[in-house]
Amino acid sequence: MTCYSLDGLTPVVDPTAYVHPSAVLIGDVIVGPHCYVGPLASLRGDFGRIVLEEGANLQDTCVMHGFPDSDTVVERNGHIGHGAVLHGCRIGTDALVGMNAVVMDNARIGARSFVSAAAFVKAGFECPEQSLVMGTPASVKRSLSDEEVAWKQTGTREYQRLAQRCLEQMQVCEPLSAPETDRPRISDSGLRPKGQ
């Protein structure tokens, strides 16, 4: 990872977290235990504080930033999809923010809620727990079922396992010029035998 201290504040990354080498962490950033930070993510703690709590994931090309004296927080087991932008907001415990969604300043996404892909959540927006939030501008569409929340939790556990896999196995390499004979496949949680 590319890591910069600023104004005497150095980013903090728990040793059980995985932060991709192409991610950028600046200043007041705290990445908690068992978190996953994907390729090209930007966590800019150059004004406010940026926090990923335990088990949260922040996927490829996501941006976390805020205004001075703000906190931008993804609470425990939060799940942030590819390309999302979080600015001075709080994402509740076990909530999901979909791909390319934008969540603005002082917005609060309730625990176990989903923000749909490409939604725009205006500054100051709040939603109750276990809500489906959609649209531009976003609004609460309905409550989520326990089955929908369980589906999200399964995906979050996969990212927690991915953090561990990456810590243990990911390494820089040169590409092959052609696929190997009987090339194995990667399942959701790692390699599986051919034909399964």
Side-chain angles (χ1 to χ4, degrees):
M1 82 193 88
T2 305
C3 193
Y4 300 94
S5 65
L6 182 65
D7 297 333
L9 286 169
T10 299
V12 175
V13 177
D14 186 273
T16 63
Y18 175 78
V19 179
H20 190 274
S22 66
V24 178
L25 281 62
I26 299 170
D28 194 3
V29 174
I30 301 169
V31 178
H34 310 292
C35 289
Y36 173 89
V37 177
L40 304 174
S42 176
L43 292 83
R44 281 183 51 205
D46 48 13
F47 292 126
R49 177 168 289 171
I50 307 299
V51 178
L52 290 178
E53 292 185 359
E54 181 176 2
N57 68 77
L58 186 76
Q59 298 171 22
D60 319 49
T61 72
C62 288
V63 174
M64 289 182 72
H65 193 240
F67 285 123
D69 301 317
S70 69
D71 288 351
T72 305
V73 179
V74 179
E75 293 181 7
R76 189 172 182 273
N77 296 329
H79 192 103
I80 312 301
H82 315 290
V85 176
L86 308 179
H87 201 277
C89 59
R90 179 171 286 268
I91 309 302
T93 298
D94 222 6
L96 177 146
V97 175
M99 292 182 268
N100 292 314
V102 175
V103 184
M104 292 299 295
D105 301 275
N106 299 312
R108 297 179 72 87
I109 303 302
R112 299 176 313 284
S113 292
F114 295 0
V115 175
S116 72
F120 178 78
V121 178
K122 295 191 317 186
F125 176 89
E126 291 192 31
C127 71
E129 293 183 358
Q130 212 157 316
S131 296
L132 176 62
V133 176
M134 300 175 71
T136 303
S139 62
V140 175
K141 298 301 182 186
R142 63 177 174 83
S143 294
L144 293 170
S145 69
D146 291 341
E147 292 78 16
E148 289 169 314
V149 172
W151 168 84
K152 177 266 173 207
Q153 292 168 335
T154 298
T156 300
R157 284 190 296 273
E158 288 296 334
Y159 269 91
Q160 291 164 351
R161 285 190 282 270
L162 179 60
Q164 186 63 40
R165 286 173 49 212
C166 290
L167 285 170
E168 293 171 357
Q169 300 178 43
M170 189 175 287
Q171 53 190 293
V172 176
C173 65
E174 292 296 318
L176 302 174
S177 59
E180 314 92 304
T181 304
D182 295 327
R183 182 177 174 92
R185 297 187 67 88
I186 295 178
S187 72
D188 290 341
S189 299
L191 291 175
R192 61 182 166 179
K194 183 181 174 203
Q196 292 188 359

